[in-house]
Amino acid sequence: MFRRRTQEAPENPPQVVKPGGKGRPTPKRSEAEKRRRQPITAPSTRKEAYQKLRERQAADRVKVREGMSRGDEKYLLKRDKGPVRRLARDYVDSRRTVGSYLMYFMFVIVAISLIPVGVAARTLTLFAPPLLLIVVLAEGLFLSRGIKRIASERYPDEDQKGVGMYAAMRAMQIRRLRQPAPQVKLGEKVR
């Protein structure tokens, strides 16, 4: 008497697709968990865990070192990032500088001072280091002014703070040891 009447449901009810819906039924939790699970490959001993960690860290370091050598922006240190710093690196790397040969000169001067030689050679070893440092300082100032001028012309909206010192310090490094590695050849025009 107070029962509801049961209407017979159609065999294939129409699929109602909501706008923006995913178009498929939600999977059961057990099915979703099965798909998410992966076999556990945990190391069996602590020693093995440390070894795997060291191997992974070494691989990461190699990847970062190669990226930095290529000049890949993603792997560069904060001090090396940006178009202004790239311009400064290319500007310095495209020219020969006395600063990049400073260590070689100093090594020769020390070697001469250790060898028993005449008065003229002794005098040279006494006055050459300060003269070399003055030349390197003047060259650094010249490079600094040049890169600041070019950077302000090419990148007026970029931050140019410290770019002169960055270029001067890079000019004092031995070319083969510079990081990031030089991307331009000696004498090449800076673009």
Side-chain angles (χ1 to χ4, degrees), residues 58-77 80-81 86 89 170 178-183:
D60 289 345
R61 281 192 300 270
V62 167
K63 186 177 173 186
V64 167
R65 193 177 315 116
E66 288 172 354
M68 186 178 276
S69 292
R70 285 190 313 269
D72 190 355
E73 196 79 16
K74 176 181 171 185
Y75 297 106
L76 293 179
L77 299 175
D80 298 322
K81 288 185 178 181
R86 177 176 288 278
R89 286 194 302 271
R170 187 165 176 94
R178 292 177 184 166
Q179 280 295 335
Q183 302 294 316

Side-chain angles (χ1 to χ4, degrees), residues 77-140:
L77 299 175
K78 187 177 181 210
R79 69 159 195 242
D80 298 322
K81 288 185 178 181
V84 176
R85 299 299 172 113
R86 177 176 288 278
L87 176 68
R89 286 194 302 271
D90 291 346
Y91 183 79
V92 170
D93 294 339
S94 67
R95 35 181 110 251
R96 291 189 190 276
T97 60
V98 176
S100 62
Y101 298 106
L102 180 66
M103 286 300 171
Y104 299 123
F105 291 141
M106 290 298 196
F107 180 75
V108 169
I109 290 170
V110 168
I112 290 173
S113 69
L114 295 175
I115 300 171
V117 289
V119 176
R122 290 274 181 214
T123 307
L124 174 72
T125 60
L126 184 64
F127 291 111
L131 289 176
L132 278 173
L133 292 177
I134 290 171
V135 168
V136 169
L137 179 66
E139 183 180 55

Side-chain angles (χ1 to χ4, degrees), residues 33-43 52:
E33 286 176 354
K34 278 182 194 172
R35 268 189 271 129
R36 215 173 39 232
R37 284 194 183 135
Q38 294 176 354
I40 297 175
T41 57
K52 284 187 178 184

Side-chain angles (χ1 to χ4, degrees), residues 83-85 87-88 91 143-161 163-164:
V84 176
R85 299 299 172 113
L87 176 68
Y91 183 79
L143 283 171
S144 175
R145 288 181 59 204
I147 192 60
K148 284 180 185 177
R149 181 179 45 79
I150 292 173
S152 64
E153 290 172 4
R154 291 192 189 175
Y155 303 106
D157 299 333
E158 294 287 329
D159 181 28
Q160 298 170 8
K161 185 178 178 186
V163 71

